[in-house]
Structure formats: C-alpha cells, structure tokens
C-alpha cells in the first residue's frame, strides 16, 4: 500500500562507532541479509554514514551489496576546496573521492561542537555547490518542547538554510527531524507527534521551495524495528535516520523493510 509517493530513505548514522573489524562484519552481515531478503531500490533508498577514515572502505565493501547502498559522510568542512586547513575535509574533496551524501546539522554537532546557523549554512552551501546531497538535521530539545517551542525552533532551523539554498538545490536536500530528547534515549516521538511535526515542516518548506511536496523528511530518534512500522505508516514520514539500531545488521534491515513495505 502506498503511503506516499516519495521514495523513503533509511540511513544509518554510525557516529563514532564501530572498530574496523566490527564495521566490516556489520557490512558483510547486512549484505547477506539483502541477498536473502532483497529490498528493491525503488522502494527504499539506503545509506550508511561511517567514521570519516572508513568512508572509502565502506564504499568499496558496499559495491557488492547487489543494490545501491550509499556511503554518507557524517560531516564536512565549512571551508571549501583545498588548502592549509589541518584536519578538515571539504565538500569538493568528498565529491572527488566519490562520496555524494553528507549529514549536516546533527544535534551532536550543534551542541558538542557549537555549530551555529552560520557554520551550518557554510557547510550546506559548500556541499550543494560541490554537487553533494545534504541530509539536514533539525530538532528541538526537551526544554524547548516542554516550553511549547518545538514547532517554532524546528521551523526556524529549516528556514535558516533558505538563505544559502538556490531554487534548484532544494532537490538535493533531505530533511531529518530528530527531536534531541529522543536521540539515543530509547524514547521515540509518538507516530502522531512525529507526523504532526513532519506535516508542519512540509508546510514550512512550501513557503520557501516549490519542491516541498517531493522532499523526503526522515524521522530520527530511537528508531528500531519495534516502532518502525508505525512510523513508516505516517504519510509525511519518508524514512528514518537511525543511530543505535543501525549498528545491528538485522535491526537496520528490518527498519528498511518497514519503510520499503509502504511502497
Ligand atoms: C541519530 O543520532 O541520528 C539517531 C537518530 O540516534 P538513535 O537512533 O540512536 O536515537
């Protein structure tokens, strides 16, 4: 049954995990699951975001997955091109090395690494100009939700990037709504609350881009096989950004299946 005409995305955010041997086993297990129970590309776009030094190895391993599983960078530099910027990796270098997707605005980057709207906008502009697709994360804290500010905070974060995204570049943006209080906590937004926020995000997007109806809006925050089916049934939830559960091949595969089954 088709919940939405937007092809869902299921992307694993491995964060600062796992060690190399475990990463290789995770990829190998996931490939075996895809062989045994294939998920059609047109039913679900798949990606995984490993640590930066594992990007190319992950990409090479995923070439034999039997279908596209995109390798996603977890971060990029706010500085473009090449030059004397020790420790940085620019959008152009990611693209040059064949990495076409990148996360921007994850709450851990916003909070722990003090990435504000100006820094995030520089990263988004660089990524889009280099031809990358950006998975842009937004989400409110528990305090903001309890103060009744969740919608305003999230819509502001969405609007923040309008200054740097050119009209046609909205096609290369995927939004990930990740309430901070649900990340890594085991607490998930109820499907109703998540759907309500996703619908509001889409309404907000309609004010700034003509692509709002075709943009994927992913949900993130303690997504697991147990709640994926209900979340996937919501019309404005077009996939999931998955942290903890993406470190288990079976869980990640089941979540992907839940979203693919809506198509
Ligand atoms: C995340 O950090 O993007 C995330 C959604 O994590 P978790 O699934 O572990 O809550």
């Amino acid at each position: 049954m088709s919940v939405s005409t937007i092809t869902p995305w299921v992307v694993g955010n491995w964060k600062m995990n796992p060690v190399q041997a475990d990463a290789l086993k995770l990829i190998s297990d996931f490939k075996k699951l895809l062989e045994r129970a294939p998920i059609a590309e047109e039913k679900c776009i798949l990606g995984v975001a490993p640590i930066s030094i594992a990007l190319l190895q992950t990409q090479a391993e995923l070439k034999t997955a039997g279908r596209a599983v995109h390798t996603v960078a977890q971060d990029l530099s706010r500085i473009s091109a090449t030059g004397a910027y020790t420790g940085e990796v620019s959008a152009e270098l990611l693209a040059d090395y064949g990495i076409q997707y990148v996360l921007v605005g994850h709450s851990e980057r916003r909070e722990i690494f003090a990435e504000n709207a100006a820094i995030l906008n520089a990263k988004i502009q660089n990524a889009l100009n280099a031809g990358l697709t950006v998975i842009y994360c937004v989400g409110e804290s528990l305090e903001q939700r309890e103060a009744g500010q969740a919608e305003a905070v999230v819509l502001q974060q969405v609007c923040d990037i309008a200054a740097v995204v050119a009209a046609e570049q909205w096609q290369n943006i995927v939004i990930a709504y990740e309430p901070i209080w649900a990340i890594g906590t085991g607490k998930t937004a109820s499907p109703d609350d998540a759907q309500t926020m996703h619908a509001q995000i889409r309404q907000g997007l309609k004010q700034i881009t003509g692509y709002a109806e075709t943009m994927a809006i992913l949900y993130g925050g303690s997504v697991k096989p147990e709640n994926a089916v209900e979340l996937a049934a919501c019309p404005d939830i077009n996939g999931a950004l998955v942290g903890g559960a993406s470190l288990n091949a079976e869980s990640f595969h089941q979540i992907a299946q839940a979203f693919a089954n809506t198509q």
Side-chain angles (χ1 to χ4, degrees):
M1 197 213 20
S2 179
V3 169
S4 157
T5 53
I6 300 170
T7 306
W9 293 59
V10 173
V11 177
N13 176 12
W14 292 355
K15 309 192 185 188
M16 203 165 74
N17 300 292
V19 298
Q20 185 170 195
D22 291 347
L24 289 171
K25 179 161 187 329
L26 179 55
I27 296 169
S28 156
D29 289 349
F30 186 57
K31 288 196 295 190
K32 282 182 202 148
L33 286 167
L34 282 177
E35 246 171 61
R36 247 183 277 148
I39 295 173
E41 289 188 31
E42 64 276 15
K43 294 194 169 192
C44 188
I45 296 161
L46 289 173
V48 293
I51 55 171
S52 59
I53 51 169
L55 281 166
L56 298 188
Q57 186 181 44
T58 302
Q59 189 174 52
E61 294 294 325
L62 287 171
K63 283 220 166 88
T64 52
R67 55 150 292 162
V69 182
H70 303 301
T71 305
V72 180
Q74 292 180 18
D75 189 25
L76 80 165
S77 181
R78 66 185 168 83
I79 293 162
S80 66
T82 54
Y85 303 101
T86 305
E88 293 292 278
V89 180
S90 69
E92 289 82 354
L93 288 173
L94 285 172
D96 182 59
Y97 276 79
I99 303 299
Q100 291 166 335
Y101 301 83
V102 64
L103 301 180
V104 177
H106 192 283
S107 60
E108 287 152 17
R109 304 283 330 162
R110 291 180 192 259
E111 290 192 333
I112 305 169
F113 301 98
E115 293 192 356
N116 57 25
I119 293 172
L120 298 178
N121 274 1
K123 290 186 173 197
I124 287 183
Q125 196 164 28
N126 292 345
L128 293 173
N129 290 345
L132 305 183
T133 292
V134 171
I135 301 173
Y136 176 58
C137 306
V138 296
E140 82 284 359
S141 67
L142 186 59
E143 297 70 39
Q144 290 164 332
R145 175 155 283 258
E146 286 176 347
Q149 298 165 347
E151 182 194 336
V153 167
V154 168
L155 291 181
Q156 182 58 53
Q157 289 171 341
V158 171
C159 288
D160 281 345
I161 67 172
V164 292
V165 182
E168 294 306 313
Q169 290 178 332
W170 284 99
Q171 296 173 93
N172 295 327
I173 300 263
V174 171
I175 303 284
Y177 168 58
E178 300 203 303
I180 299 169
W181 48 270
I183 295 179
T185 58
K187 292 182 198 158
T188 322
S190 71
D192 277 357
D193 283 350
Q195 164 58 29
T196 300
M197 183 63 88
H198 280 233
Q200 281 164 343
I201 292 171
R202 200 174 305 285
Q203 275 306 116
L205 285 168
K206 279 186 194 161
Q207 313 300 311
I208 44 185
T209 168
Y211 290 103
E213 297 282 10
T214 54
M215 284 176 66
I217 306 176
L218 319 186
Y219 172 77
S222 298
V223 177
K224 31 189 188 277
E226 294 77 18
N227 56 28
V229 172
E230 263 195 305
L231 289 164
C234 300
D236 286 295
I237 300 184
N238 318 114
L241 183 55
V242 187
S246 71
L247 295 170
N248 178 295
E250 269 186 30
S251 297
F252 189 57
H253 184 264
Q254 282 173 30
I255 294 166
Q257 270 181 325
F259 281 91
N261 286 343
T262 63
Q263 300 298 293

